[in-house]
Amino acid sequence: MNSFLKSCTALTIALTFAGQAVAQEALKEVGKGEGQLNIIAWPGYIERGETDKAYDWVSDFEKKSGCKVNVKTANTSDEMVSLMNEGGFDLVTASGDASLRLVAGKRVQPINTDLIPSWKTVDDRIKDAPWFTVDGKHYGVPYQWGPNVLMYNTNVFKEAPKSWNVVFEEQTLSDGKSNKGRVQAYDGPIHIADAANYLMAHKPDLGIKSPYELSEDQYKAALDLLRVQRTLVGRYWHDAAIQVDDFRNEGVVASGSWPFQVNTLVAAKQPVASTIPEEGATGWADTTMMEADAANPNCAYMWLEHSLSPKVQGDVSAWFGSLPVVPAACKGNELLTDEGCKTNGYDQFEKIKFWRTPTSKCASQNDQCVPYYRWVSDYIGVIGGR
């Protein structure tokens, strides 16, 4: 993954957006808080103990800073970009398939890392990652990362599935029934990358080098695979809570998912587990980014520093099933435990193909890749049966 992060592709993307990203001047010092902070976040990312009182990294921040935290949850990267375009928010926990779009659209500003003392504690593998670093400027602070796992019903699968084929190809499962109508797929254009990742292993003659850099032929093959998957999918999911309910009550037995849903179902004593199959997995590395015209920048900077504390990082990882961006969080956290990082896949970093915004300019295809706007329109067509 280190070579991936430093690839020519990443550099090309950064240079592509560099000329477009004209950001306002960053804050020179953190002053008194404005009294509130408005954050767009993935479900489970900003907890104040309302679901489980043990998981609360908001109340103490509000008490110390005087900044009341208001959270708007979003279930897809496209929803986050849309909300940021509407305005009225200070921060967003953006994944890699949204972050560069926000930079290019001038919706976020560069961060003055000198105002964040804990910046020096961030994992070196992520600190300068190309999905939020443009032209040497950091447009945000890393928050959490993790893989997109294959979640499965342990009553149906006595052993962990070895391949993603259980959600891409029709087959009879170990309970003697077809997988048709019993699997799910993610309701977001970035799911095309999961199909491309599968094809990298099963159709190497296509020559796919990155699931985010697809030629026309490679892209067509991915769409064709997704059209096959369309005949199997009972529901496309984007709401984590609904997917949890579908596994509990609607007979769903396998799907790409996030560790958050897995943890939720395991805590409820449901017959669920997860795995990363032999083809590997896509994943996400999320960055807390500040709106270009944030109304509450002092509170925002206070939160950015707070978010990097080992206690917060460990608690979020324990709750969501993700990985901290501060290595020190892996030890001494009561909720995560000293084995939590290993369990959640801390050593799998090199195997994860992190979400990125596909662009036409890409090194592996001589700048002839299919851009993201095509992914959006074509995936809508796939879901609609076209």
Side-chain angles (χ1 to χ4, degrees):
M1 180 56 67
N2 286 334
S3 60
F4 167 79
L5 296 183
K6 298 174 182 177
S7 68
C8 292
T9 302
L11 178 60
T12 300
I13 293 175
L15 292 175
T16 298
F17 286 115
Q20 304 174 42
V22 181
Q24 69 180 43
E25 188 174 340
L27 211 64
K28 291 292 190 290
E29 63 180 358
V30 179
K32 182 179 179 181
E34 297 85 1
Q36 67 172 340
L37 180 64
N38 302 306
I39 307 177
I40 303 170
W42 293 103
Y45 258 15
I46 311 292
E47 291 290 316
R48 60 167 68 251
E50 293 173 335
T51 306
D52 185 326
K53 63 181 181 180
Y55 294 90
D56 181 359
W57 45 93
V58 172
S59 297
D60 187 54
F61 169 79
E62 290 180 328
K63 182 178 179 180
K64 290 180 178 179
S65 68
C67 305
K68 176 177 171 51
V69 176
N70 305 303
V71 181
K72 169 69 176 179
T73 59
N75 293 299
T76 69
S77 290
D78 289 348
E79 185 179 353
M80 287 187 174
V81 172
S82 178
L83 287 169
M84 286 293 284
N85 286 336
E86 291 176 10
F89 297 95
D90 301 300
L91 298 173
V92 59
T93 60
S95 294
D97 60 328
S99 50
L100 287 183
R101 281 188 279 163
L102 293 170
V103 173
K106 304 177 185 177
R107 299 312 308 154
V108 292
Q109 59 176 284
I111 298 300
N112 183 352
T113 58
D114 291 339
L115 301 182
I116 305 172
S118 295
W119 174 262
K120 62 181 180 295
T121 68
V122 173
D123 192 331
D124 287 336
R125 298 177 299 181
I126 293 177
K127 187 175 286 184
D128 300 312
W131 49 80
F132 75 100
T133 307
V134 177
D135 198 25
K137 295 183 176 67
H138 295 103
Y139 285 82
V141 171
Y143 190 57
Q144 293 278 295
W145 63 274
N148 292 312
V149 298
L150 175 57
M151 181 164 64
Y152 62 94
N153 184 303
T154 55
N155 288 337
V156 174
F157 297 91
K158 301 304 181 184
E159 297 181 356
K162 292 181 171 57
S163 172
W164 286 101
N165 64 3
V166 296
V167 297
F168 281 120
E169 301 175 10
E170 185 173 4
Q171 58 192 266
T172 300
L173 303 180
S174 57
D175 62 357
K177 301 176 183 178
S178 171
N179 61 341
K180 193 169 186 177
R182 306 166 71 198
V183 300
Q184 292 186 335
Y186 185 54
D187 181 15
I190 202 66
H191 182 52
I192 294 174
D194 293 303
N197 179 63
Y198 181 76
L199 292 173
M200 287 176 72
H202 293 274
K203 291 192 176 181
D205 54 303
L206 286 170
I208 299 174
K209 303 299 183 185
S210 164
Y212 309 102
E213 300 182 3
L214 303 179
S215 67
E216 289 290 346
D217 288 344
Q218 295 166 348
Y219 182 71
K220 180 180 182 300
L223 292 182
D224 286 343
L225 178 61
L226 292 171
R227 290 186 181 102
V228 173
Q229 185 184 55
R230 175 69 182 85
T231 67
L232 308 177
V233 168
R235 189 208 300 269
Y236 287 87
W237 75 274
H238 63 264
D239 187 311
I242 291 178
Q243 186 181 53
V244 166
D245 184 69
D246 286 344
F247 266 77
R248 295 186 68 164
N249 302 311
E250 301 300 328
V252 177
V253 300
S255 177
S257 188
W258 302 327
F260 176 66
Q261 290 94 298
V262 179
N263 281 3
T264 301
L265 286 162
V266 170
K269 296 182 170 29
Q270 295 297 304
V272 160
S274 67
T275 186
I276 296 179
E278 59 192 9
E279 299 92 354
T282 60
W284 31 269
D286 296 341
T287 306
T288 308
M289 310 182 85
M290 191 183 305
E291 209 272 341
D293 301 307
N296 306 294
N298 292 294
C299 284
Y301 268 96
M302 292 178 194
W303 176 267
L304 292 175
E305 170 63 19
H306 173 73
S307 74
L308 292 180
S309 75
K311 176 72 166 93
V312 172
Q313 283 287 307
D315 288 0
V316 177
S317 297
W319 178 251
F320 199 85
S322 51
L323 282 307
V325 299
V326 174
C330 289
K331 297 296 181 183
N333 185 286
E334 182 179 353
L335 298 174
L336 183 61
T337 77
D338 286 355
E339 294 298 314
C341 281
K342 182 178 180 180
T343 299
N344 290 358
Y346 193 80
D347 297 328
Q348 300 294 314
F349 188 90
E350 302 286 340
K351 298 180 181 179
I352 299 173
K353 303 174 182 75
F354 288 101
W355 280 353
R356 290 185 304 163
T357 303
T359 66
S360 58
K361 291 185 178 299
C362 58
S364 66
Q365 301 298 333
N366 297 317
D367 293 344
Q368 296 295 316
C369 284
V370 178
Y372 187 69
Y373 77 87
R374 291 265 307 280
W375 288 44
V376 174
S377 58
D378 290 336
Y379 195 60
I380 291 172
V382 168
I383 292 176
R386 301 195 302 274

